[in-house]
Amino acid sequence: MMRKKLLKLYDDLYAEYGELNWWPAETPFEIIIGAILGQATAWRNAAKAIDNLKAADLLNPEGLSKLTQDELETLILPSGYYRAKAKKVRAFVTHLQEHHNNQLDSLFAQELPPLREELLSIYGIGEETADGILLYAAKKPSFVVDTYTYRLMERLGWFSGRFHYGRLRGIFMENLPHDCQLFNQYHALIVRHGARVCQKTPQCERCMLRAECPTGNQSE
Ligand code: SF4
């Protein structure tokens, strides 16, 4: 039942927005650093910080591990919360060095559940960041949810109660085939819909989901 509804929602969103290409990065390491720098900020701010690291030829484990906290803070300033984010980046780089000899292949060689646990054990990596790393960098089928997902699911009447990352993610993990391409595209479609139509104040009058959405129906 839920599987059918989720697949139909995917089809409806896909018909509206088409193929969306995530994630804009050249290497898995860049995706990981981008996932940390992108926390609680618009992507364009994280992208500026990434550009600074690239321009200094430091966007690699060896380069970042040579930087002091102050030096890293200066380079990632545009990403916001730069002190905390510098600590998080350093924590990840130190972990990679100490446990995997700077080799992402070694980190990613694990199955999804233990890899997710390991990522979550690193300072500064929460569930959304861990799932972003798993899906986009490690190419493992871990669904990423966020506030856009919550808003849409709640308004469609498929989720009730306060935001709960694990419960929300479980809806997708338990009902969809575990397919990286599907998860990648689905998350991107939800974000696009949340940014353009199902906004904080929903734009139901121009939403293609309105006929099936209890919130959209109420707003008639
Ligand atoms: S009808 Fe309104 S509340 Fe429902 S999904 Fe569309 S924009 Fe969101």
Side-chain angles (χ1 to χ4, degrees), residues 9 151-153 155-156 193 197-199 201-217 219:
L9 173 63
R151 208 155 66 195
L152 181 59
M153 293 293 112
R155 286 174 177 169
L156 286 170
H193 188 62
V197 181
C198 198
Q199 301 167 340
T201 304
Q203 309 297 310
C204 302
E205 67 289 346
R206 54 187 176 84
C207 180
M208 69 292 189
L209 305 173
R210 189 174 188 178
E212 304 128 69
C213 177
T215 310
N217 283 327
S219 69

Coordinates of all heavy atoms in Angstrom, one line a residue, residues 9 151-153 155-156 193 197-199 201-217 219, ligand 1:
L9 N 3.9 8.7 -6.1 CA 4.4 10.0 -5.8 C 5.7 10.3 -6.6 O 5.9 11.4 -7.2 CB 4.7 10.2 -4.3 CG 5.3 11.5 -3.8 CD1 4.5 12.7 -4.1 CD2 5.7 11.4 -2.3
R151 N 7.8 17.8 5.7 CA 6.7 18.6 5.4 C 5.7 18.0 4.4 O 4.5 17.9 4.5 CB 7.2 19.9 4.8 CG 6.4 21.1 5.0 CD 7.2 22.4 4.9 NE 7.8 22.6 3.6 CZ 8.8 23.5 3.4 NH1 9.3 24.2 4.4 NH2 9.3 23.7 2.2
L152 N 6.3 17.4 3.3 CA 5.5 16.7 2.3 C 4.8 15.5 2.8 O 3.5 15.4 2.6 CB 6.4 16.3 1.1 CG 5.7 15.7 -0.1 CD1 4.6 16.6 -0.7 CD2 6.7 15.3 -1.2
M153 N 5.5 14.7 3.6 CA 4.8 13.4 4.1 C 3.7 13.8 5.1 O 2.6 13.2 5.1 CB 5.9 12.6 4.8 CG 6.9 12.0 3.9 SD 6.3 10.7 2.8 CE 6.5 11.6 1.3
R155 N 2.0 16.6 5.2 CA 0.8 17.3 4.5 C 0.0 16.3 3.7 O -1.2 16.4 3.5 CB 1.4 18.4 3.7 CG 1.8 19.6 4.5 CD 2.4 20.7 3.7 NE 2.7 21.9 4.5 CZ 3.5 22.9 4.0 NH1 4.0 22.9 2.8 NH2 3.7 23.9 4.8
L156 N 0.7 15.3 3.2 CA 0.0 14.2 2.4 C -0.8 13.3 3.4 O -1.5 12.5 2.9 CB 1.0 13.4 1.6 CG 1.6 14.1 0.3 CD1 2.7 13.3 -0.2 CD2 0.5 14.3 -0.7
H193 N 10.5 20.0 -5.1 CA 9.1 20.3 -4.8 C 8.9 21.1 -3.6 O 8.1 22.1 -3.6 CB 8.3 19.0 -4.7 CG 6.8 19.2 -4.7 ND1 6.1 19.7 -5.7 CD2 5.9 18.9 -3.7 CE1 4.8 19.8 -5.4 NE2 4.7 19.3 -4.2
V197 N 7.2 24.5 -4.5 CA 5.7 24.5 -4.4 C 5.3 24.2 -3.0 O 4.5 25.0 -2.4 CB 5.2 23.4 -5.4 CG1 3.6 23.4 -5.3 CG2 5.6 23.7 -6.8
C198 N 5.7 23.1 -2.4 CA 5.2 22.7 -1.1 C 6.1 23.4 -0.1 O 6.8 22.8 0.7 CB 5.3 21.2 -0.9 SG 4.2 20.7 0.5
Q199 N 6.1 24.8 -0.2 CA 7.0 25.6 0.7 C 6.4 25.7 2.1 O 5.3 25.2 2.3 CB 7.1 27.0 0.0 CG 7.6 27.0 -1.4 CD 7.4 28.3 -2.1 OE1 6.6 29.1 -1.8 NE2 8.2 28.5 -3.2
T201 N 4.8 28.1 3.4 CA 3.4 28.4 3.0 C 3.1 27.7 1.7 O 3.7 28.1 0.7 CB 3.2 29.9 2.8 OG1 3.6 30.6 4.0 CG2 1.7 30.2 2.5
P202 N 2.4 26.6 1.7 CA 2.3 25.8 0.5 C 1.5 26.5 -0.6 O 0.5 27.2 -0.4 CB 1.5 24.6 1.0 CG 0.8 25.0 2.2 CD 1.6 26.1 2.8
Q203 N 2.0 26.3 -1.8 CA 1.4 26.9 -3.0 C 0.5 25.9 -3.7 O 0.7 25.4 -4.8 CB 2.5 27.3 -4.0 CG 3.6 28.2 -3.4 CD 3.1 29.5 -2.8 OE1 2.4 30.2 -3.5 NE2 3.4 29.8 -1.6
C204 N -0.6 25.5 -3.0 CA -1.4 24.4 -3.4 C -2.1 24.6 -4.7 O -2.3 23.7 -5.5 CB -2.4 24.0 -2.3 SG -1.7 23.6 -0.7
E205 N -2.4 25.9 -5.0 CA -3.1 26.2 -6.2 C -2.4 25.8 -7.5 O -2.9 25.6 -8.5 CB -3.6 27.6 -6.3 CG -2.5 28.7 -6.4 CD -1.6 28.9 -5.2 OE1 -2.0 28.4 -4.1 OE2 -0.6 29.5 -5.3
R206 N -1.0 25.7 -7.4 CA -0.3 25.2 -8.5 C 0.5 23.9 -8.3 O 1.5 23.7 -8.9 CB 0.7 26.3 -9.0 CG 1.6 26.9 -8.0 CD 2.4 28.0 -8.5 NE 3.3 28.6 -7.5 CZ 4.5 28.2 -7.3 NH1 5.0 27.2 -7.9 NH2 5.2 28.8 -6.4
C207 N -0.1 23.1 -7.4 CA 0.5 21.8 -7.1 C -0.2 20.6 -7.8 O -1.4 20.5 -7.8 CB 0.5 21.5 -5.6 SG 1.3 20.0 -5.2
M208 N 0.6 19.8 -8.5 CA 0.1 18.7 -9.3 C -0.4 17.5 -8.3 O -1.0 16.6 -8.8 CB 1.1 18.1 -10.3 CG 2.3 17.5 -9.7 SD 3.4 18.6 -8.8 CE 4.8 17.5 -8.6
L209 N -0.1 17.7 -7.0 CA -0.5 16.6 -6.1 C -1.8 17.0 -5.4 O -2.3 16.2 -4.5 CB 0.6 16.4 -5.0 CG 2.0 16.1 -5.5 CD1 3.0 16.0 -4.4 CD2 2.0 14.7 -6.3
R210 N -2.3 18.1 -5.7 CA -3.4 18.7 -5.0 C -4.6 17.7 -4.8 O -5.2 17.6 -3.8 CB -3.9 20.0 -5.6 CG -4.9 20.7 -4.8 CD -5.2 22.1 -5.4 NE -6.0 22.9 -4.5 CZ -6.4 24.1 -4.8 NH1 -6.0 24.7 -5.9 NH2 -7.1 24.8 -3.9
A211 N -5.0 17.0 -5.9 CA -6.2 16.2 -5.9 C -6.1 15.1 -4.8 O -7.1 14.8 -4.2 CB -6.4 15.6 -7.3
E212 N -4.9 14.6 -4.6 CA -4.8 13.5 -3.6 C -4.3 14.0 -2.2 O -4.1 13.2 -1.3 CB -3.7 12.5 -4.1 CG -4.0 11.9 -5.4 CD -2.8 12.0 -6.3 OE1 -1.8 11.3 -6.1 OE2 -2.9 12.8 -7.3
C213 N -4.1 15.3 -2.1 CA -3.4 15.8 -0.8 C -4.5 16.4 0.1 O -5.1 17.4 -0.3 CB -2.4 16.9 -1.2 SG -1.6 17.6 0.2
P214 N -4.6 15.9 1.3 CA -5.7 16.4 2.2 C -5.4 17.9 2.5 O -6.4 18.6 2.7 CB -5.5 15.6 3.5 CG -4.5 14.5 3.2 CD -3.9 14.7 1.8
T215 N -4.2 18.3 2.6 CA -3.9 19.7 3.0 C -4.3 20.6 1.8 O -4.9 21.6 2.0 CB -2.4 19.9 3.3 OG1 -2.0 18.9 4.2 CG2 -2.1 21.3 3.8
G216 N -4.0 20.1 0.6 CA -4.3 20.9 -0.6 C -5.8 21.0 -0.8 O -6.4 22.0 -1.1
N217 N -6.5 19.9 -0.5 CA -8.0 19.9 -0.6 C -8.6 20.9 0.4 O -9.6 21.6 0.1 CB -8.5 18.5 -0.3 CG -8.3 17.6 -1.5 OD1 -8.4 18.1 -2.6 ND2 -8.1 16.3 -1.3
S219 N -7.4 23.6 1.4 CA -7.2 25.0 1.0 C -8.0 25.5 -0.1 O -7.9 26.6 -0.6 CB -5.7 25.2 0.7 OG -5.4 24.5 -0.5
Ligands
SF4_1 S1 -1.3 20.3 -2.4 FE1 -0.3 21.8 -1.1 S2 0.3 20.8 0.8 FE2 -0.2 19.2 -0.7 S3 1.8 18.6 -1.6 FE3 0.9 20.2 -2.9 S4 1.7 22.2 -2.1 FE4 2.0 20.6 -0.5

